[in-house]
Amino acid sequence: AQLAALAAVVHHGSFERAARALHVTPSAVSQRIRTLEERVGAVLVQRGTPCVATPAGAPLLRHAERVALLETDLAASLPGLRRARDGNDPASATLPCLLRLAVNADSLATWLMPALAHFGQAAPRVQLDLLLDDQDHTSEALRRGDVLAAVTSLAAPVQGCNSHALGRLRYRATASPAFMARCFAAGVTAQTLAAAPCLVFNRKDRLQALWLQRVTRRAVEPPCHFMPSTQAFVDAALAGVGWGMNPQPLAAPHLASGRLVELLPGRTIEVPLFWQVSRLDLPALALLTDAVLGAAHTALR
């Protein structure tokens, strides 16, 4: 009950909403949290809007979430437990059943959603909680234990995880015809690239810098616009704000229509992606892994 209270407060963001989910009063939730804090000798919840787990509370929260995943699997084989959960019986297990993942925004916008939809149908009781980060950094969330699986560019397995190759996501350096006429009338050279504004997803994004290094063989630092959204990245290129490395699946229709053009046709970058997943024996993880590998086999190179 104490773990359920902790998980509910962090999941719902407040003691009041947690109380409604647990079918108890807010004072009962507060008492359970206080008793658990006294038991472990540390503050577990940072009160605020929303409430969040403290560094001491985070390991307990991860434990509670993994217990909930195991309980969900157990309920499938025990009709009595399943009926209690379905009927919102206050005496039944009430831990939020969350599966936390770390993914990069481009995968989410291009090929991953069918896998999540398939998983949602196969495991309707499990709620997904996605952490967005650059593919070069999602593995850090695995190392910290914040997530149980991640789409990452890291091939070597994180400790306690299995690594599965997904395929390669191709990127093309694209811009609008008007932008090309304005910034590259003299051609796409190191000099013109140094002056033409480029789009960057965030300060972790090195894709444009990598492309510039490959095509110019030198360090080129153009002015940058930060666009922390995959769709905004495409829209900004279409609007002539700057040039950027757009995923092939999103850029293809605009290239076909002529609304986008490649800066240097054929000079692409392919980012290898891997699915790193915890070795914990959780049926929900196995279902999700099957769905992710299937979607990647269909969509990635």
Side-chain angles (χ1 to χ4, degrees):
Q2 294 165 5
L3 284 175
L6 172 65
V9 167
V10 176
H11 177 58
H12 295 285
S14 77
F15 282 72
E16 292 74 16
R17 288 194 290 273
R20 288 196 294 271
L22 295 172
H23 309 287
V24 297
T25 64
S27 62
V29 173
S30 181
Q31 179 59 44
R32 291 177 187 180
I33 296 292
R34 186 161 53 251
T35 301
L36 185 59
E37 289 177 332
E38 291 172 356
R39 182 178 177 184
V40 301
V43 175
L44 304 176
V45 176
Q46 181 178 323
R47 276 71 168 172
T49 307
C51 294
V52 297
T54 64
L60 279 174
L61 180 63
R62 290 194 294 268
H63 170 72
E65 290 171 350
R66 293 172 187 181
V67 168
L69 289 169
L70 289 169
E71 284 187 349
T72 297
D73 179 58
L74 188 62
S77 60
L78 293 177
L81 181 56
R82 184 170 64 249
R83 284 193 298 271
R85 292 175 67 92
D86 291 346
N88 291 321
D89 180 354
S92 70
T94 49
L95 289 167
C97 192
L98 290 177
L99 183 52
R100 299 185 189 273
L101 319 172
V103 303
N104 61 313
D106 288 345
S107 289
L108 189 61
T110 55
W111 65 270
L112 186 59
M113 198 60 70
L116 302 184
H118 181 80
F119 173 76
Q121 295 171 11
R125 300 180 188 281
V126 180
Q127 303 170 51
L128 294 172
D129 188 354
L130 271 60
L131 167 68
L132 283 182
D133 206 344
D134 185 87
Q135 63 270 2
D136 293 337
H137 297 270
T138 48
S139 59
E140 295 170 10
L142 270 175
R143 289 193 182 93
R144 294 193 303 266
D146 294 342
V147 299
L148 291 177
V151 176
T152 174
S153 60
L154 179 70
V158 172
Q159 184 176 4
C161 295
N162 292 322
S163 179
H164 305 271
L166 293 172
R168 302 184 306 278
L169 184 57
R170 174 174 285 182
Y171 289 81
R172 296 185 182 274
T174 56
S176 70
F179 183 89
M180 294 293 295
R182 184 170 74 249
C183 295
F184 296 115
V188 180
T189 65
Q191 290 72 30
T192 56
L193 284 167
C198 80
L199 307 172
V200 178
F201 190 84
N202 59 29
R203 285 165 177 79
K204 296 178 180 179
D205 178 14
R206 301 298 300 162
L207 204 54
Q208 284 67 219
L210 177 61
W211 186 86
L212 287 167
Q213 177 68 36
R214 288 186 180 180
V215 301
T216 66
R217 303 293 182 182
R218 65 183 70 177
V220 177
E221 297 185 3
C224 298
H225 298 296
F226 291 93
M227 296 283 168
S229 159
T230 298
Q231 188 57 53
F233 217 83
V234 176
D235 292 343
L238 289 167
V241 176
W243 69 270
M245 304 302 297
N246 277 305
Q248 164 79 17
L250 298 183
H254 301 299
L255 290 168
S257 69
R259 296 183 66 204
L260 287 178
V261 294
E262 286 193 80
L263 272 64
L264 293 172
R267 301 299 296 271
T268 63
I269 285 180
E270 292 189 345
V271 176
L273 296 174
F274 299 85
W275 176 246
Q276 296 232 21
V277 58
S278 169
R279 295 189 187 124
L280 289 172
D281 185 17
L282 296 171
L285 274 181
L287 284 173
L288 182 60
T289 295
D290 288 343
V292 168
L293 295 182
H297 178 74
T298 300
L300 296 179
R301 299 174 64 80

